[in-house]
Every structure is written in C-alpha cells, then in structure tokens.
Amino acid sequence: MGRFVARRVVGMLLVMFAVSVLTFLIFNVIPNGDPADRMAGKNSTPVQIDAIEKEWGFDKSLPVQYATTMEKVFTGDLVSYYTQTNVAEQIRRGIPRTFALAIGAALLWFAMGTALGLYTAIRAGRWSDTLVTVLALIGVSMPVFWLGALASYYLGFKAGLFPNGGYAEIGEEGLWEWVKHMILPWTVLATLFIGVYSRVLRSNVLDTINDDYVRTARAKGLSERRVMIHHVLRNSLIPIVTLWGLDFGAVLGGGAILTETVFDLDGVGQYFAESIGTLDVPPVLAVTLFGAFFIVILNTVVDIVYAALDPRIRLS
C-alpha cells in the first residue's frame, strides 16, 4: 500500500507541474498579443502597461516569465489591477464559504444518492422504483441557476421559510443561523447529483447482487441485511467513491459558481465569476490554477481510498 501511495503522490506532483505550465501558457502565451496589456485591463495607460511588463518579466524569456508568475501566485504577491486588492486575501476570505457549500452539498448528494440507489435496487421493477427514476431524471434536467432562483424566490422571499440569500458567519450569528442560510444552496446544488448517483448505484447493485460471493454469503446463513450492506453495497460503492471524488473536486474547482452567485454567498466561485465579468486576469489566473490543483489532489486521494476498498487496485 505504501508503494502504491508513493507512486500516486509522485504522479500527482508531475501532473500539477504540467497543469501549472499549461495554465501559464493559456493566460500569457497562447492568446497572442501583449500579456501586460491584457492584465492591465480596459482603461490602462502606456505607463501602467510598461510597469506590469517589468514587474511580471514579460520582456524576458518564457522560463523566467513562468517562474515569476508562479512566484507571485504562491507567495500571495498577486494584486487585482481592477480592484487593487490582494488576490490571495480575497481567495482566503471566500474559501470557507465555498467549502461550506461544497462539503454540505457533497455529503447530501452522496447520502441521498446512496439511500435512493439501494432502495430502488431492492425494489427494482415496482412502482416506487419507477417514481424515483422519474424524479431523478427531473432533478438531473433542471439547471442549477433556474432551480436556485425558484427556491430563493418561493421558499425564501415569498414564504420566508429560509433566508433569501447571503451568508451567515458561525462565530457572529450562530450555528443555526448558518445552517438556515445554507440549506437552500446545499439542496439546490445536490439535486443534480442525487439523481445521477441513485441511478449509478442502482445499476451497480443489480449487477452485483447475483454474483457468486453474494450467493455464498447467503448460503452461509447471513441475514439479507448483512449481505446487502457488507457485501453488495461495499463493492457497489467503489465506482461511486470515484465519481464522488471527481464531482466534489469539480464543484470546488468551479462547479459551484452559479449556486454561489444565485444565493450571493460571496465565495471563491462568485469572486471568480465577477473577475471574469471585469476581465480581471490575476484573480482568474489564481483561481483557475488553485482549482485545477485541488482537483488533481482530490483525484489522488480518491485513488488511495479506492485502493483501500479494493486491494486489487494496488497492483495497477
């Protein structure tokens, strides 16, 4: 297991280096033209462009430009030329809000998807299975921004059951107020994934339920509940864990942008969207790079968890 983890970590570092090079090329080289001009923004002056060119080393070789860019990103010495604020501070301010949204929604869609998938597999072919299938398809088909707008208007503004957007700090307004502000965003973001996970798990369980080792477990006299949970569900969850890791990384890497914007959570995703709207290059560069890094790291963690669930994976 140790050798497997070491291989995955080395592979992760190589991928992160490749991602950093690719991100640098996309922002500074591939678009053609003067990168200092793009970074300075719409209302820039020749003096500002010249200062940015010298600060970022755009008048030097590409390796020097890459090293300067990475140094600015990772030392926190990155400033928005549109708002004149430190990018690292803005990201640190928004990270707790984005993590709160992503973790809560991810736990919700994993729990609900697993429960519904197992339930529909057990009752395959019955009316309840058909009903959950229809609801899952409806959930997958609804855009997040549309569902979020409906939930915010009818459940927040009209009915007053939940706050109509915004974020509550736990230390200032208390745990319950924080939960009330997050219930709608969690539910809206999780709705899309619950349907997918329930259908994938249902298919996995139905494929596994008649395998030889499951029949052997039943022949030994184990209860049906123990067979389903300890034998069928455990093996059926392996692809679900992989899918969950990929989706969770994608949500943190930018998939929560629309949800944050609709509910005005003021997280990293909303900061990213606002920076794109103002063509503010430094924040977009930093968030893109950190989001890609997080996805790579999370995929490595998922591979390790996958290997812990199925020892055969360690041989690959």
Side-chain angles (χ1 to χ4, degrees), residues 13 15 37 52 85 99 104 106 109 119 136 146-148 163 249 253 297 312:
L13 295 176
V15 172
D37 188 22
I52 292 174
T85 56
F99 265 80
W109 84 57
Y119 175 77
W146 179 78
L147 182 61
I297 293 171
R312 293 172 297 178

Side-chain angles (χ1 to χ4, degrees), residues 75-259:
T75 59
D77 187 24
L78 200 61
V79 177
S80 163
Y81 293 106
Y82 184 80
T83 61
Q84 298 300 313
T85 56
N86 185 276
V87 174
E89 291 180 0
Q90 294 297 315
I91 292 176
R92 279 196 294 268
R93 178 179 174 274
I95 279 178
R97 302 170 182 231
T98 300
F99 265 80
L101 171 63
I103 292 174
L107 293 176
L108 179 61
W109 84 57
F110 184 84
M112 291 297 296
T114 301
L116 289 176
L118 186 60
Y119 175 77
T120 53
I122 294 173
R123 302 183 65 83
R126 303 182 185 180
W127 68 269
S128 54
D129 178 30
T130 304
L131 176 62
V132 172
T133 300
V134 172
L135 293 177
L137 291 174
I138 293 175
V140 170
S141 304
M142 288 190 293
V144 170
F145 63 88
W146 179 78
L147 182 61
L150 287 181
S152 179
Y153 179 75
Y154 285 106
L155 298 179
F157 179 73
K158 295 284 287 185
L161 298 176
F162 302 98
N164 186 28
Y167 184 84
E169 297 287 350
I170 297 179
E172 298 176 3
E173 302 183 52
L175 178 61
W176 175 238
E177 198 65 29
W178 174 78
V179 171
K180 284 200 303 183
H181 278 78
M182 296 304 297
I183 287 177
L184 284 183
W186 284 340
T187 305
V188 168
L189 183 57
T191 299
L192 170 66
F193 298 97
I194 290 175
V196 175
Y197 278 58
S198 65
R199 305 317 297 164
V200 172
L201 184 64
R202 176 185 181 276
S203 177
N204 292 340
V205 169
L206 292 177
D207 287 341
T208 305
I209 203 167
N210 292 318
D211 284 350
D212 291 340
Y213 70 91
V214 176
R215 288 197 294 266
T216 301
R218 289 197 179 102
K220 288 181 178 180
L222 298 180
S223 65
E224 187 64 21
R225 179 179 179 181
R226 185 175 180 82
V227 169
M228 291 298 297
I229 294 177
H230 293 277
H231 295 273
V232 176
L233 183 59
R234 178 178 177 180
N235 287 279
S236 299
L237 279 177
I238 292 177
I240 295 296
V241 169
T242 304
L243 186 62
W244 184 87
L246 294 173
D247 288 336
F248 181 60
V251 166
L252 277 176
I257 291 177
L258 290 176
T259 308

Side-chain angles (χ1 to χ4, degrees), residues 41 48 55 132 205 268 282 315:
Q48 291 174 323
E55 180 186 357
V132 172
V205 169
V268 178
L315 301 176

